[in-house]
Amino acid sequence: SVLPENVVSVKLIDETVDTLVAEYVLKEGPFETTISAKHIISPYNSQTVEVIAGDAKGTKIIQNFSDDPSGVLVNTKVSLELSGILIPVSFIPEQNFIHALDTIILSFYDYTITEIQHKNELEN
């Protein structure tokens, strides 16, 4: 729902209280790939995503969340491991990659705000 042009499908493989494993089919332009990722979630504090299968196996994304007077600060650390069809991604300039991550975070923010507004409308 958040990035429909890039996330073709998501299949939940396993879920516990603070961990889930999912299989993603991702698309960017003509490229499509399937990866599996393990998400370790500490609500309101952090999220770690580790790709455990596919052309990005070994990639790790660590996000830490902290309060700020203007909202929530999201600190993201990415360690990319790419192979196969994803090798061209490694040649993308760092600034373009940062812009893409910002776009993803803003997309989730916009989606969340829309869902909250929709829920409030239904309750009123």
Side-chain angles (χ1 to χ4, degrees):
S1 296
V2 180
L3 298 165
E5 62 279 351
N6 301 104
V7 181
V8 177
S9 67
V10 178
K11 179 181 175 185
L12 186 60
I13 306 296
D14 189 27
E15 183 176 12
T16 63
V17 173
D18 62 353
T19 304
L20 67 88
V21 176
E23 179 183 271
Y24 299 89
V25 177
L26 306 173
K27 184 175 183 179
E28 179 61 41
F31 303 105
E32 187 171 296
T33 190
T34 301
I35 63 167
S36 293
K38 178 179 180 180
H39 298 254
I40 302 167
I41 302 162
S42 174
Y44 310 109
N45 294 312
S46 67
Q47 169 181 243
T48 300
V49 180
E50 183 176 357
V51 179
I52 56 175
D55 288 341
K57 183 178 179 180
T59 292
K60 197 175 236 185
I61 302 168
I62 301 169
Q63 291 185 310
N64 292 298
F65 310 107
S66 58
D67 290 332
D68 183 80
S70 64
V72 175
L73 291 177
V74 180
N75 181 303
T76 303
K77 180 180 177 184
V78 179
S79 172
L80 283 177
E81 297 290 334
L82 304 173
S83 63
I85 198 167
L86 295 179
I87 287 178
V89 173
S90 64
F91 298 108
I92 295 173
E94 183 178 348
Q95 193 59 36
N96 292 37
F97 190 76
I98 291 168
H99 182 271
L101 283 175
D102 287 345
T103 299
I104 292 168
I105 291 169
L106 286 172
S107 295
F108 275 95
Y109 171 81
D110 290 343
Y111 177 81
T112 302
I113 294 300
T114 301
E115 288 298 307
I116 290 170
Q117 289 171 343
H118 180 70
K119 180 181 175 188
N120 289 340
E121 289 170 3
L122 292 175
E123 290 176 354
N124 291 330

